[in-house]
Amino acid sequence: MRNLTFAMNLSVDGYITAPGGDLGWSVPSDELFQWWSDRVGATGLSLYGRKLWETMSSHWPTADQQPGVTPAQIEFARRWRDMPKVVFSSTTSTVDWNTRLVTGDAVTEITRLKADDGGSMDIAGATLAAAPMRAGLIDEYVLVTHPVLVGGGTPFFTALDNWVNLNLVETRTFPDGVVLTRYETRR
């Protein structure tokens, strides 16, 4: 059975985007960027909601061809293109770059994918993660908390019907006061 992880950058007040979708507060240090790149390189399958898919697919497929690109950005772009991906959307009609589109029920498909053989899965996007979170499908939460209060936007966590008990398994501090906390779901 595959492990499903929900990992994202978030503000201290719990948002993954500021009002208007602003992500300017979450620009990573070189060390944090490398951590994200290594994570992408080790992920067996990444699950995207439409909004985050549009953000990522508008930049990373050709990011390694842009002027002034760094070796780390070249590596991330290659890893991102090569990583198998599933996009969940009822409004997107085509996807590319080693990606498959699912228009049906996300919980049903994620349950099926978890039962498959293969490497670990990451779920990207708070809107997509909400239903699997409520269904108890997420095995691990990775919060990469930036020292900023944005006051609103898209929250990392959804409203839950029941408590989810967690075990802290890792903490790490990055430059600029960014703190990673990794929790496993206690079953």
Side-chain angles (χ1 to χ4, degrees), residues 59-76:
H59 179 73
W60 288 110
T62 59
D64 55 347
Q65 301 163 23
Q66 302 304 313
V69 68
T70 66
Q73 291 167 331
I74 291 169
E75 177 184 53
F76 185 92

Side-chain angles (χ1 to χ4, degrees), residues 106-164:
V107 170
T108 301
E109 181 64 9
I110 293 168
T111 300
R112 188 191 70 71
L113 290 169
K114 279 185 61 110
D116 283 350
D117 291 331
S120 63
M121 296 189 307
D122 273 3
I123 190 164
T127 303
L128 175 61
M133 190 183 302
R134 283 191 299 275
L137 295 175
I138 298 178
D139 302 297
E140 189 173 299
Y141 294 85
V142 179
L143 290 71
V144 180
T145 307
H146 293 251
V148 62
L149 301 170
V150 298
T154 304
F156 180 83
F157 291 105
T158 188
L160 297 172
D161 300 324
N162 298 297
W163 292 6
V164 177

Side-chain angles (χ1 to χ4, degrees), residues 40-94:
V40 166
T43 298
L45 180 64
S46 190
L47 313 177
Y48 281 94
R50 179 191 54 81
K51 289 178 188 175
L52 191 53
W53 165 253
E54 288 174 352
T55 299
M56 297 296 282
S57 67
S58 70
H59 179 73
W60 288 110
T62 59
D64 55 347
Q65 301 163 23
Q66 302 304 313
V69 68
T70 66
Q73 291 167 331
I74 291 169
E75 177 184 53
F76 185 92
R78 178 190 52 78
R79 286 175 166 176
W80 187 86
R81 281 191 309 263
D82 292 349
M83 175 182 58
K85 296 171 282 298
V86 174
V87 172
F88 292 83
S89 175
S90 60
T91 58
T92 300
S93 59
T94 60

